Amino acid sequence: MVLPPVTELTYFYEVAKVANFSRAAIKLHTSQPSLSMAIKRLETTLNTTLFYRRKQGLILTRAGIELFQYVKDLLHKWEDIRSHVVSSHQEIKGSVTIGCNATLIPFVGTIFSNLLRQFPALEVHMQNERSQKITEWVTDATVDIGIVLNPVAQPDLIIRKISTTDLSFWSSTNTSNQQNLLSGQAVIICDPTILQTKALLKKLEKDYHGYAHVSHSNSLEAIAHFVMNGYGVGILPSCFAQAFYAESLQRINDAPFYGNDLCLIYRHEDKEVAAIQAVLSGIKEFIALNSGVKK
């Protein structure tokens, strides 16, 4: 079945209300011939006559009366739908999903709390993975916003650098031989599955006196607490160590490091969505406050 265009139904509705083609044409900002042709096309589609055309004006036929009620309900329903769609686009509410590496969970948790206090109608969800996978999720709309390291430019995505950070070596403020990279007795605490960590360990072997052994952990908090308690040198993201352990940990400044650009990524079609823009602003502000870089 062929559905008539919304324009024809709208034209019919306005003509039926005023019972006059001329007045309806003025209200609809169209010409009377165009309006008459639209009504003729609608009558052809429905295979029925909708108006009795008389000298004293137009009168709806039985079919016209029936259609008028349906169109009235339809247009009112459409206005409700349109209002809800516009509202979801312009108001800060609804669901937003963020994808980020597990190393950024402490940041994101604080960001979530700030956003939900400010915008109680907002729902924020999180997916954790490595940057490459998160980029794929944002591209295929599984995730709304990605917080990723060193993203590759793609035509479907907007990429905004929000900070420069690095992966580097950290010790406690009271160092021991286990925390001295020059002692040959250092214990390195890290997640060796991270490619950048592997590169740092190779660099350490080449430029220093080696180390006693490597202790594995995939928890940044665990690495930080081991280091704080004097056990070993931790490989940590500087943004994480500086934000949460600035008074307990110190960076080993002459040690190797691996630099990264921390970026926000999102789709072009989402750049005007108020809820997504609110989350983006919240992330930018928090990162800027905790990394000392400009938004």
Side-chain angles (χ1 to χ4, degrees), residues 122-139:
L122 189 64
E123 297 178 15
V124 184
H125 307 282
M126 186 169 64
Q127 296 284 345
N128 299 127
E129 251 295 353
R130 298 185 187 272
S131 292
Q132 182 177 356
K133 189 64 176 178
I134 292 167
T135 302
E136 293 175 9
W137 285 346
V138 176
T139 303

Side-chain angles (χ1 to χ4, degrees), residues 2-282:
V2 179
L3 295 175
V6 174
T7 301
E8 291 180 5
L9 294 176
T10 304
Y11 283 6
F12 163 77
Y13 181 69
E14 293 299 335
V15 172
K17 283 200 302 182
V18 299
N20 183 280
F21 276 103
S22 297
R23 290 200 299 271
I26 293 171
K27 184 175 182 181
L28 292 165
H29 304 288
T30 189
S31 66
Q32 184 172 334
S34 295
L35 185 56
S36 297
M37 288 298 296
I39 298 301
K40 285 285 188 183
R41 289 194 299 270
L42 182 59
E43 290 179 325
T44 299
T45 299
L46 296 174
N47 194 27
T48 189
T49 301
L50 298 173
F51 294 100
Y52 294 121
R53 293 159 175 82
R54 297 180 177 177
K55 290 183 178 180
Q56 57 266 49
L58 299 172
I59 300 174
L60 285 168
T61 64
R62 185 182 297 272
I65 293 171
E66 187 78 8
L67 179 62
F68 179 79
Q69 188 57 51
Y70 279 117
V71 170
K72 179 180 179 181
D73 293 342
L74 177 64
L75 293 178
H76 287 173
K77 185 64 176 177
W78 168 247
E79 185 59 31
D80 289 342
I81 293 171
R82 190 193 67 81
S83 297
H84 280 90
V85 170
V86 171
S87 172
S88 68
H89 188 80
Q90 296 179 345
E91 295 183 15
I92 301 174
K93 65 178 185 179
S95 175
V96 176
T97 302
I98 298 173
C100 72
N101 192 284
T103 61
L104 295 171
I105 289 176
F107 286 103
V108 176
T110 304
I111 294 167
F112 282 8
S113 298
N114 294 341
L115 286 169
L116 295 179
R117 280 196 296 269
Q118 190 174 0
F119 308 111
L122 189 64
E123 297 178 15
V124 184
H125 307 282
M126 186 169 64
Q127 296 284 345
N128 299 127
E129 251 295 353
R130 298 185 187 272
S131 292
Q132 182 177 356
K133 189 64 176 178
I134 292 167
T135 302
E136 293 175 9
W137 285 346
V138 176
T139 303
D140 65 18
T142 304
V143 163
D144 298 302
I145 299 168
I147 308 175
V148 298
L149 296 174
N150 308 320
V152 177
Q154 296 189 29
D156 295 332
L157 299 181
I158 295 174
I159 299 175
R160 294 285 182 264
K161 180 179 173 180
I162 52 175
S163 178
T164 299
T165 185
D166 58 44
L167 199 64
S168 52
F169 291 89
W170 293 75
S171 67
S172 69
T173 53
N174 298 311
T175 59
S176 62
N177 282 339
Q178 289 181 331
Q179 294 189 310
N180 184 352
L181 293 180
L182 298 176
S183 69
Q185 302 175 33
V187 175
I188 310 300
I189 312 169
C190 63
D191 181 354
T193 65
I194 299 174
L195 292 177
Q196 295 174 348
T197 297
K198 293 179 180 179
L200 288 177
L201 291 175
K202 288 182 180 179
K203 185 76 171 174
L204 197 64
E205 289 178 354
K206 179 181 177 181
D207 295 347
Y208 285 74
H209 300 292
Y211 44 84
H213 65 270
V214 175
S215 290
H216 298 179
S217 175
N218 60 1
S219 166
L220 293 184
E221 289 83 0
I223 294 172
H225 281 279
F226 277 127
V227 176
M228 285 166 54
N229 287 293
Y231 177 69
V233 175
I235 298 180
L236 293 166
S238 294
C239 59
F240 171 84
Q242 290 167 346
F244 298 101
Y245 300 96
E247 296 181 359
S248 305
L249 299 179
Q250 60 184 7
R251 177 172 173 158
I252 303 176
N253 290 321
D254 57 349
F257 66 91
Y258 202 112
N260 296 293
D261 287 336
L262 185 65
C263 299
L264 289 173
I265 59 172
Y266 54 100
R267 296 178 301 280
H268 284 279
E269 61 267 28
D270 290 337
K271 64 183 178 181
E272 303 298 334
V273 177
I276 290 178
Q277 289 303 312
V279 175
L280 288 168
S281 296

